[in-house]
Amino acid sequence: MFTNHSAIAIAVQLAFAATTSTVAFQASAEEQQQQEADKNKLEVIQVTARKRVENAQEVPVAITALQGEALETLSSAAMDIRFLNARTPSLTVESSFGRTFPRFYMRGLGNSDFDLNASQPVSLVVDDIVQENPILKGFPVFDVERVETLRGPQGTLFGRNTPAGLVKFDSVKPSQAFDAFASASYGSHNTSDIRAAVGGGLTDSLSARVSVLHQDRDDYIDTIAPGFEKKDVLGGYTDKAIRLQLLWEADDFSALLNYHKRDLDGKPVAFYGNGIKKGSNKLGGEGWQGRDKVFHDSADRATQEVEIEGYNLKLEWDLGDYTVTSISGVEKAELFSRADVDGGYGANWAADCCGVPTGPGSIAFDSETSDAIPDHDQFTQELRLSSNFNGPLNYQVGVFYFDEDLEIESIAYDPIFSAGDVTGRVKQWQETTAWAVFGSVDYDFTERLSVTAGLRYSDDDKDYRNERFKSPLAGFGAPDQVKGEVNPSDTHVSWDLSATYKYNDDVNFYGRIADSFRAPSIQGRNLFAFDDGISVADSETILSFEAGTKANILDGQGRLNAAVFYFTMDDQQLTSVGGDSNTARLLNADETQGYGFEVDAEFIVTDNLFVTLGTSYNNTELKDSSLSVPVCANCAVTDPVVVDPDGSRRALIDGNSLPHAPEWIHTFTARWSQELGDGEVFLYTDWSYRSEINFFLYEAKEFEGESLLEGGARGGYAWEDDGREYEAALFVRNMTDEQQAIGAVDFTNNAAIVNEERFIGAEFKVNFF
């Protein structure tokens, strides 16, 4: 029998248990509600723009990050790295080499130089290793976690050749958790794209990840030049790549080894001689018979072969208040590319003297050449100390070393009389040695105001020489044997100062001032020169001002980032390409000014609809009243033209905008999904628009690229079954089949480089977990 005290005790215990149960139930319900609420909020984007993992919304730099489905969709259809063109604000990418030599432009700043020794003001960093040579920059994009575009000078933490900005790629890293996928797509022109990766723990401390890519396309472009007719001779390729990563993790130490290799066997991009209609900027000249037909007389000898191999080792020691990081990298590249440069057949002079047919249109000089990199080695080493304090002060300091040996060989052939026999041969050698000391300090003055200051001292030395063994212009008096050498060097102190003000938990304002430089550049176009062909551009420097806001809006369902900027660049390095004298030389402009704005936005419109928007405006202007460049022989130049004593024509380019610098870029993506059965049906579309561009430094009617609007779509069904995720989809790229010149060869016959045509395909993917 219970006593009154016992009954009271039991009652109290029951009441407590009931209360606890109720509280637990309420807590569980609140957690579920919170989880549901979080599902309808945008995920936090983590970036490493300042070599620390940070929330992109808190970094005082204009950043756009591509990841997940957006990145996978844009790189589909066996696309190469040029898929990034006009896909983020203020960024364009183009190439006259096709899949192997991308040229990046950011906020209008870039380099149209096609020389294999060309430097660019937009740096490319892949898995913490700078890819300096332009051939390295073409490595395929696969099994990549995130692509970050950092706009504006990045010279303090990332180095000497970043005055315009930086594009940063981070591969998916190994982890202890098992993860694997395989995908296969098939589309137009028998194009296949196979990708796969598998990763997981090998021991309690060691994990690994292997990623592979195999892309293949049949030749589909015919040559219809009389006497050289051949079907399906250009346009195809086989591109293979692999990446192997091993990660060792201990309590206070980690080591990440990355090995990667690429093997490309394909054809160069096709040039359409006289493809641009004279007096206009539209396709429809005498040499344009459609995307799949050219008038090449050496198409059957055209080839492009690339091998890239590299490995890097990242070591990190966690010492509590400090982290020590060592990053060592080795990159090697080999290239051989041979093409019909004039894009036609025969030559006017051969027709006059020997009755050789020529065409279509005027072909003043028939040219078949090859460029090769027989040997290339790049070594980089970075050692960095970063603080991990809980207080208002943090910093990082480090040293960086860069060494590159490069050999280039250029050969000219005779496609008219001797079926491709060698008529000229030149070699170039260059060794670059650079080192830097850098540091960056972050200080939180209050809970709302943070300031970052950075400083970098850089030293850059180049030893260059070239030698011509045989001249294709010997009949015009050019000597066969010519040698030359130069040894430019420079030092520079780069710096930046930025401040971030946290207006509230969702809105940040920032301002940034930055100074950076690009080291001296060398071009040795000795093949078609009468002298050694060497030109040197002095270092360019930039001072950039930027202000912006980064805001999470609509209760976490929207994100809106905006920035305005202004810069002045002194001694900008430019390349005078081609002209009727067929020369290509480096030069410096006294000053270049640029200003504009950028907006990035993304919204969860409904539970089923996600939308992103982006726009940018860039105004660039060359300011140098004495600067002139050679012009084409067969186009309508709209700049003022002066005539040199030797009769050559030169355009005055003061006031012109920069090449491949559109004023406007607009981007739009939307993803809709709906649950259906055991999975979901989805539809994704993406669109990009860029306004008109100039192909070269001078302005001509034929060489103003039209505005370009391209869109794609991807739709399908995704479902889960037995520990696997499946996805089947149909997709289309350039769905409106826009066809226009996106570049040109500044030679004598208005040769066009044309955008990719419409591509239709299907894909199947499975994820294992």
Side-chain angles (χ1 to χ4, degrees), residues 706-768:
E706 296 182 85
S707 60
L708 179 62
L709 174 67
E710 290 185 315
R714 187 172 184 270
Y717 186 69
W719 71 99
E720 292 186 22
D721 183 46
D722 195 24
R724 299 183 180 90
E725 294 176 339
Y726 298 92
E727 185 176 284
L730 300 175
F731 61 87
V732 57
R733 309 302 305 160
N734 189 12
M735 65 171 67
T736 59
D737 201 24
E738 291 290 326
Q739 290 291 288
Q740 63 187 62
I742 57 173
V745 182
D746 182 13
F747 204 42
T748 58
N749 55 338
N750 301 342
I753 301 171
V754 183
N755 66 321
E756 293 282 343
E757 63 186 325
R758 178 165 50 210
F759 185 98
I760 299 173
E763 181 184 43
F764 181 78
K765 182 178 180 180
V766 56
N767 292 316
F768 305 88

Side-chain angles (χ1 to χ4, degrees), residues 482-501:
V482 174
K483 296 181 181 180
E485 64 177 272
V486 289
N487 309 101
S489 63
D490 198 9
T491 62
H492 187 78
V493 176
S494 302
W495 57 269
D496 60 59
L497 180 65
S498 60
T500 303
Y501 180 75

Side-chain angles (χ1 to χ4, degrees), residues 148-202:
E148 301 172 19
T149 57
L150 283 57
R151 299 183 285 273
Q154 308 296 323
T156 297
L157 292 178
F158 288 98
R160 72 198 198 287
N161 286 349
T162 58
L166 177 80
V167 182
K168 190 172 183 292
F169 293 79
D170 290 308
S171 303
V172 178
K173 301 298 187 293
S175 71
Q176 285 290 304
F178 174 77
D179 173 39
F181 81 88
S183 69
S185 71
Y186 178 82
S188 306
H189 303 306
N190 288 327
T191 303
S192 62
D193 187 344
I194 300 172
R195 309 175 187 219
V198 59
L202 302 179

Side-chain angles (χ1 to χ4, degrees), residues 406-408 426-431 462-469 482-487 522 524 526 532 534:
L406 174 65
E407 179 182 339
I408 300 171
V426 166
K427 277 198 171 186
Q428 306 176 62
W429 298 268
Q430 178 175 283
E431 181 177 356
K462 289 185 172 71
D463 293 319
Y464 172 92
R465 62 186 177 92
N466 70 9
E467 182 174 357
R468 184 167 68 223
F469 303 95
V482 174
K483 296 181 181 180
E485 64 177 272
V486 289
N487 309 101
I522 304 169
N526 193 4
D532 60 20
I534 297 176

Side-chain angles (χ1 to χ4, degrees), residues 27 30 65 78 104 244 276 383 396-397 450 479 551 569 628 672 687 697 704:
E30 290 175 357
F104 294 81
L244 169 64
I276 301 173
L383 186 62
Q396 50 184 317
V397 294
S450 301
M569 178 171 278
S628 65
W672 173 87
W687 292 84
L697 290 172
E704 180 188 67

